[in-house]
Amino acid sequence: MVKEIERAGIPIVQMANLIPVSKTVGANKIVPTISIPYPLGDPSTSKKEQLKLRSHRVEVALNALTEDVKEQTVFKVKI
């Protein structure tokens, strides 16, 4: 699906927990997430910490939309 959306001229970033799967399906811009049940948060942390985690990953994804990449790229996120 990612490749088809890109072929239509729409930039896309895939946020994914399983990076090897994203690479296999051909995603060009990949932002790592935290876990499968909680991709953008960690319920064992405070709400303030969760907001920080989510905001950071969404910011990385939005910045990745503007990047011109020639090959598959996994963007770095803070752990």
Side-chain angles (χ1 to χ4, degrees):
M1 180 68 97
V2 173
K3 295 300 284 180
E4 292 303 317
I5 293 171
E6 285 182 337
R7 264 186 266 249
I10 301 169
I12 189 165
V13 173
Q14 185 171 34
M15 298 181 79
N17 179 288
L18 302 171
I19 302 304
V21 173
S22 293
K23 287 182 174 182
T24 300
V25 299
N28 284 327
K29 299 174 183 179
I30 305 164
V31 174
T33 58
I34 297 166
S35 68
I36 292 172
Y38 305 103
L40 293 178
D42 181 355
S44 67
T45 61
S46 70
K47 288 187 180 202
K48 184 178 179 180
E49 186 63 29
Q50 284 188 56
L51 179 61
K52 210 164 112 180
L53 285 169
R54 291 175 183 172
S55 296
H56 172 67
R57 280 179 168 72
V58 170
E59 184 179 342
V60 170
L62 289 173
N63 288 333
L65 281 174
T66 64
E67 294 288 324
D68 184 28
V69 298
K70 302 295 181 206
E71 58 187 36
Q72 288 182 318
T73 304
V74 178
F75 291 84
K76 295 191 185 309
V77 293
K78 295 179 190 172
I79 295 176

